[in-house]
Amino acid sequence: KPIAVYTDLPGDLPLVNADRYRVTQILTNLLDNAFNYTPAGGQIRVTLQGNEQFVNLAVQDSGIGITKENLAKIFDRFFRAEDEDVQRVAGTGLGLAIVQGLVEMHGGTLAVESTPGLGSTFSFNLPIVVEESELA
């Protein structure tokens, strides 16, 4: 389906100590959800930013959004909202629980903001590599 994808990926970000395959799994799950729950003609935006402690990544979509009631449950294993638009997409309800676990195993945090009918933003951060000379 036609969806516009925009990226803001600066090349001068600090290094993070992370498992490349697990970070790929995190991104794949978040992008897959954004694609599946965004109608044709919508958009997905991926942004990266760094600071002195973390690299922050966000996946924002213009999809169906998530109700406040469901926001409290979306990271629970096997949870799938009863919403008709959600049930149309095949899934087990494990993707976001896995994402949360992988982000936390890397020492990061995962957050979500969403408005029903307007879309969602899932963001996570990963701690940067600190050189020993920087600690002194």
Side-chain angles (χ1 to χ4, degrees), residues 6 27-28 30 36 60-61 67 76 79 83 85 90 111 113 128-129:
Y6 302 98
L27 287 171
T28 299
L30 293 178
N36 285 329
Q60 178 183 23
D61 65 57
T67 65
D76 294 347
F79 175 76
D83 184 279
D85 291 326
E113 296 177 12
I128 67 165
V129 173

Side-chain angles (χ1 to χ4, degrees), residues 29 74-78 93-102 110:
N29 281 344
I74 61 169
F75 298 112
D76 294 347
R77 292 170 44 132
F78 303 109
L94 288 172
L96 290 175
I98 291 169
V99 165
Q100 184 177 45
L102 291 173
L110 175 66

